[in-house]
Coordinates of all heavy atoms in Angstrom, one line a residue:
G9 N 19.9 -4.4 -22.4 CA 20.4 -5.2 -21.4 C 21.8 -5.8 -21.7 O 22.3 -5.6 -22.9
S17 N 26.9 1.3 -15.4 CA 25.6 1.9 -15.9 C 25.1 1.2 -17.1 O 25.9 0.6 -17.9 CB 25.8 3.4 -16.2 OG 26.2 4.1 -15.0
A23 N 10.3 0.2 -26.6 CA 9.7 0.8 -27.8 C 8.5 0.0 -28.2 O 8.3 -1.2 -27.8 CB 10.7 0.8 -28.9
E44 N 10.0 -13.3 -7.1 CA 8.9 -12.8 -7.8 C 9.2 -11.5 -8.5 O 10.1 -10.8 -8.2 CB 7.8 -12.5 -6.7 CG 7.2 -13.8 -6.0 CD 6.0 -13.4 -5.2 OE1 5.7 -12.3 -5.0 OE2 5.4 -14.4 -4.6
V48 N 9.9 -1.6 -10.6 CA 11.1 -0.8 -10.5 C 10.8 0.7 -10.6 O 11.2 1.5 -9.7 CB 12.1 -1.2 -11.5 CG1 13.3 -0.3 -11.5 CG2 12.5 -2.7 -11.4
A92 N 18.7 -9.2 -13.1 CA 17.3 -9.7 -13.3 C 17.0 -9.5 -14.8 O 17.7 -8.9 -15.6 CB 16.3 -8.8 -12.5
W108 N 4.2 5.8 -5.4 CA 4.6 4.5 -5.7 C 3.5 3.5 -5.3 O 3.2 2.5 -5.9 CB 5.9 4.1 -5.1 CG 6.4 2.7 -5.5 CD1 6.6 1.7 -4.7 CD2 6.8 2.3 -6.8 NE1 7.0 0.6 -5.4 CE2 7.1 0.9 -6.7 CE3 6.8 2.9 -8.1 CZ2 7.6 0.2 -7.8 CZ3 7.2 2.1 -9.1 CH2 7.6 0.8 -9.0
V112 N 1.7 0.6 -7.6 CA 1.7 -0.8 -7.3 C 0.3 -1.4 -7.1 O 0.1 -2.6 -7.4 CB 2.6 -1.0 -6.1 CG1 2.6 -2.4 -5.6 CG2 4.1 -0.7 -6.4
Y115 N -3.1 -0.2 -10.5 CA -3.1 -0.3 -12.0 C -2.8 -1.8 -12.4 O -1.9 -2.4 -11.8 CB -2.1 0.6 -12.6 CG -2.5 2.1 -12.3 CD1 -1.6 2.9 -11.5 CD2 -3.6 2.7 -12.8 CE1 -2.0 4.2 -11.2 CE2 -4.0 4.0 -12.5 CZ -3.1 4.7 -11.7 OH -3.5 6.0 -11.4

Side-chain angles (χ1 to χ4, degrees):
S17 298
E44 293 188 355
V48 175
W108 182 245
V112 171
Y115 300 113

